[in-house]
Amino acid sequence: MTQTDIALLLADAADEVEIGIAPVQAVIRGGRRRRARRWAVAAATALVLAGSTGATLAVTGLPGGQDGDRASVVATRPRHVYDPQTTELAHGTDHHGRSWRVVVSVWDAPRDDTEAAGQLAAMRRYGIDSRALPDRGDVVGKSSHYASLYSGDDNPRAVMFNTAAEWDPLSGTDLLSAAFSVDPARSDGPASLVVGTVARSVRQVKCGWQDGTMSLVRPRPAAGSPVDWFVCEAPKGTAYATAEVVQ
């Protein structure tokens, strides 16, 4: 049993208790508290689980689904089991001159064990670290979504991800975010980048920094996702403090 397996079991047992493996990366839940156990952030050797949950989607396992018959939805749009829908959320250059970008990939639910095995192989080719991948038996009938950080010339690092039969659609001021270091060699370094999800109705998110300053960002949609996403970068010399919906 891996450290990740143990953390997941502890999270299941503890419900809303946040479980982590040092060095701890921050996972922050804002707004109305709910439960879900599969959200995680990952660094080189660290996972933190925080939870929420919520109203179920009408179309189980289909990101972005609307009310209606599952079969008709599947028939009218391409499936993305092996080739995910991808969206670049943001890009920039950190204060050390290192380029970075954050990309969300959304993978449709495999229908059987054969598709699950093929999807996991495709995820590895895509660059998702094996420590962030679910077991093959955990992906059948479930969609997966990854926020991956590309930093400099390094391989992408999955920093926020989930595999579930139902998305947490979020509503009102609900907010789920992860704060982490841009430097792939310093998973315990200053949390200078924040990635998060909010309800589609949200127009603005405020990220607060430890030096007392703040940044206002506008969430944006990602292909295949029923929630909107945002990215904040800390000013030089400071790090994450808070994230909240302001309108």
Side-chain angles (χ1 to χ4, degrees):
M1 183 173 288
T2 66
Q3 286 184 321
T4 301
D5 294 329
I6 294 170
L8 288 171
L9 289 174
L10 289 173
D12 281 343
D15 274 352
E16 295 182 0
V17 176
E18 187 171 302
I19 305 296
I21 304 169
V24 172
Q25 296 286 301
V27 182
I28 308 93
R29 177 72 188 196
R32 181 164 53 88
R33 289 192 60 84
R34 299 190 277 182
R35 303 182 330 175
R37 303 180 181 97
R38 298 296 294 184
W39 273 105
V41 294
T45 57
L47 282 176
V48 176
L49 307 179
S52 65
T53 184
T56 61
L57 290 180
V59 184
T60 302
L62 293 178
Q66 302 296 325
D67 292 348
D69 178 72
R70 176 190 174 99
S72 65
V73 175
V74 172
T76 56
R77 73 176 184 82
R79 298 178 69 240
H80 297 274
V81 176
Y82 310 125
D83 182 19
Q85 299 177 82
T86 60
T87 303
E88 181 178 286
L89 295 180
H91 64 271
T93 303
D94 71 7
H95 307 299
H96 300 286
R98 181 187 298 106
S99 62
W100 62 265
R101 61 191 181 102
V102 176
V103 177
V104 169
S105 60
V106 177
W107 307 72
D108 280 2
R111 291 175 293 195
D112 52 38
D113 193 64
T114 300
E115 284 193 353
Q119 182 177 85
L120 291 174
M123 287 176 170
R124 293 186 186 96
R125 291 192 297 270
Y126 180 84
I128 296 174
D129 189 280
S130 59
R131 286 166 291 190
L133 293 176
D135 294 331
R136 186 166 65 182
D138 289 338
V139 298
V140 175
K142 300 177 181 179
S143 62
S144 297
H145 38 293
Y146 288 83
S148 297
L149 170 66
Y150 294 75
S151 182
D153 296 326
D154 293 287
N155 292 326
R157 174 166 46 122
V159 293
M160 188 174 180
F161 55 92
N162 192 16
T163 295
E166 300 162 353
W167 284 71
D168 181 354
L170 303 180
S171 62
T173 59
D174 286 348
L175 178 149
L176 182 64
S177 64
F180 47 88
S181 172
V182 175
D183 188 348
R186 296 190 59 196
S187 61
D188 59 343
S192 58
L193 207 63
V194 182
V195 175
T197 59
V198 293
R200 286 252 176 104
S201 59
V202 171
R203 294 292 173 262
Q204 200 169 57
V205 171
K206 178 175 70 176
C207 293
W209 311 110
Q210 292 178 5
D211 64 357
T213 61
M214 67 176 186
S215 301
L216 294 175
V217 296
R218 187 179 182 87
R220 57 165 300 179
S225 171
V227 295
D228 281 357
W229 296 73
F230 68 90
V231 176
C232 297
E233 184 182 19
K236 185 176 182 180
T238 189
Y240 169 84
T242 61
E244 61 182 303
V245 171
V246 293
Q247 65 172 327

